[in-house]
Amino acid sequence: MAAGDQAAFAQLVQRHLNDMLAFIERMTGNRADAEDIAQDTFTKAWQQARKWRPGRAKYRTWLFQVAMNQTRDRWRRQRPTEDLNEVLISPEPMPDQAADSAAQAQRVRAALLALPERQRCAMILSHYHGMNNIEAAQALEISVEAVESLLGRARRTLRQKLATEREA
């Protein structure tokens, strides 16, 4: 792909498109935005293919990093004065949410979307996309210890929020 091989690029898009769409939709809460941002992500990946270093990070990890940056850039351009966390909360449940009931799925989704962006990214990469802490750290461009800290804080916050709602 770095040499301009369109067939290689098409194969990579086919292999990673669903993961990118799911990740971006979980970050934004909006399927239409996810589709646009995924297209921007693959366009940017094509343009920047020479910057990926095979020994430094997996292509998939690098692509998640590009997707996160494209998501942030889109929100900065569209809503420069709004808080990203406030904008991202949507009342509609994700179609693939794996919860026992629609109400529980909505509570989990709302709690996840209410997390600070870096905690939400770490949780989504780890729990929904199966990345280990090293891969998540590479995608987030932070240390493994920072990922562990983000995950710990996110889990505590989610547990507290969901327990509080259950008691109410």
Side-chain angles (χ1 to χ4, degrees), residues 13-95:
V13 169
Q14 183 179 9
R15 183 178 299 154
H16 298 287
L17 179 60
N18 288 336
D19 276 348
M20 291 302 108
L21 282 170
F23 171 72
I24 298 166
E25 187 173 355
R26 285 184 180 105
M27 288 297 297
T28 64
N30 183 301
R31 181 65 179 195
D33 284 347
E35 290 171 355
D36 290 345
I37 295 168
Q39 182 176 356
D40 293 345
T41 297
F42 284 106
T43 300
K44 189 72 151 188
W46 172 257
Q47 294 167 345
Q48 307 260 331
R50 290 190 172 116
K51 291 186 178 184
W52 174 64
R53 300 291 175 239
R56 192 164 165 244
K58 293 179 183 177
Y59 177 79
R60 180 176 183 262
T61 303
W62 177 75
L63 193 58
F64 273 105
Q65 182 180 34
V66 173
M68 282 187 299
N69 291 337
Q70 290 299 307
T71 302
R72 287 182 187 130
D73 289 349
R74 172 67 63 97
W75 284 107
R76 284 184 195 123
R77 283 193 310 270
Q78 289 181 347
R79 296 171 178 91
T81 60
E82 294 183 48
D83 178 19
L84 181 62
N85 290 323
E86 291 176 17
V87 172
L88 295 181
I89 297 174
S90 169
E92 298 176 7
M94 296 292 290

Side-chain angles (χ1 to χ4, degrees), residues 1-9 46 49-50:
M1 186 172 93
D5 183 343
Q6 291 181 358
F9 177 67
W46 172 257
R50 290 190 172 116

Side-chain angles (χ1 to χ4, degrees), residues 43-167:
T43 300
K44 189 72 151 188
W46 172 257
Q47 294 167 345
Q48 307 260 331
R50 290 190 172 116
K51 291 186 178 184
W52 174 64
R53 300 291 175 239
R56 192 164 165 244
K58 293 179 183 177
Y59 177 79
R60 180 176 183 262
T61 303
W62 177 75
L63 193 58
F64 273 105
Q65 182 180 34
V66 173
M68 282 187 299
N69 291 337
Q70 290 299 307
T71 302
R72 287 182 187 130
D73 289 349
R74 172 67 63 97
W75 284 107
R76 284 184 195 123
R77 283 193 310 270
Q78 289 181 347
R79 296 171 178 91
T81 60
E82 294 183 48
D83 178 19
L84 181 62
N85 290 323
E86 291 176 17
V87 172
L88 295 181
I89 297 174
S90 169
E92 298 176 7
M94 296 292 290
D96 62 345
Q97 188 71 30
D100 292 340
S101 69
Q104 177 65 15
Q106 178 55 30
R107 286 191 297 276
V108 170
R109 182 170 181 269
L112 182 65
L113 285 171
L115 289 173
E117 180 185 357
R118 289 168 40 105
Q119 289 179 25
R120 184 174 56 250
C121 282
M123 288 293 289
I124 292 169
L125 292 173
S126 176
H127 293 282
Y128 289 97
H129 294 283
M131 286 190 180
N132 62 39
N133 290 354
I134 295 169
E135 293 168 331
Q138 290 172 341
L140 293 168
E141 296 182 304
I142 59 177
S143 69
V144 173
E145 293 79 16
V147 167
E148 291 168 352
S149 177
L150 288 170
L151 289 171
R153 288 194 315 263
R155 287 180 186 121
R156 279 191 302 275
T157 301
L158 289 172
R159 257 192 308 272
Q160 290 170 350
K161 180 149 181 72
L162 294 172
T164 302
E165 288 178 3
R166 197 175 311 125
E167 293 170 2

